[in-house]
Amino acid sequence: MKLITAVIKPFKLDDVREALSEVGAQGITVTEVKGFGRQKGHTELYRGAEYVVDFLPKIKIEVGVTDDLADRVVEVISGAANTGKVGDGKIFIVELDNAVRIRTGESGPEAL
């Protein structure tokens, strides 16, 4: 099993959610986050004063998948989140030792 974490631009969330649904990824966790990478921040003007916005709004998506689905999930996230511009985001893939469905007690791939 793999835990796939993607950090994307907020306006791409619906596209990514639909793409994940189409490939059979069930259940995602979405969190509003802030951060920066190569995109850096930018300067804004507020009430006559300039200030630097260091952290930009992003969306973090987490999805647990079976090993056989992991590569496809990465492909569809990459495709759906891509704008071709700096700041499109990153995808992280880590090994998932176990998962447990709280309601039934199922564990492993059956819990996903």
Side-chain angles (χ1 to χ4, degrees):
M1 294 183 300
K2 304 279 193 248
L3 177 62
I4 299 174
T5 303
V7 179
I8 64 170
K9 291 183 175 183
F11 69 90
K12 285 299 204 170
L13 176 59
D14 286 338
D15 295 340
V16 171
R17 183 187 52 78
E18 288 173 16
L20 287 172
S21 179
E22 288 175 10
V23 295
Q26 299 176 353
I28 64 172
T29 300
V30 176
T31 311
E32 293 180 7
V33 296
K34 292 183 180 198
F36 74 91
R38 290 186 180 158
Q39 190 177 13
K40 306 284 188 225
H42 60 278
T43 302
E44 289 190 5
L45 192 63
Y46 179 72
R47 294 189 176 181
E50 276 192 9
Y51 67 97
V52 177
V53 178
D54 291 329
F55 296 102
L56 302 171
K58 299 288 182 180
I59 295 291
K60 180 168 77 169
I61 298 171
E62 296 171 299
V63 57
V65 297
T66 56
D67 288 332
D68 60 322
L69 193 56
D71 288 340
R72 185 71 182 122
V73 166
V74 170
E75 285 175 24
V76 299
I77 292 172
S78 294
N82 187 2
T83 68
K85 298 194 166 111
V86 174
D88 276 351
K90 293 258 189 329
I91 300 173
F92 305 99
I93 303 105
V94 296
E95 194 66 36
L96 186 59
D97 290 335
N98 200 6
V100 177
R101 185 183 310 261
I102 294 173
R103 179 178 55 86
T104 62
E106 293 170 292
S107 63
E110 293 80 30
L112 299 175

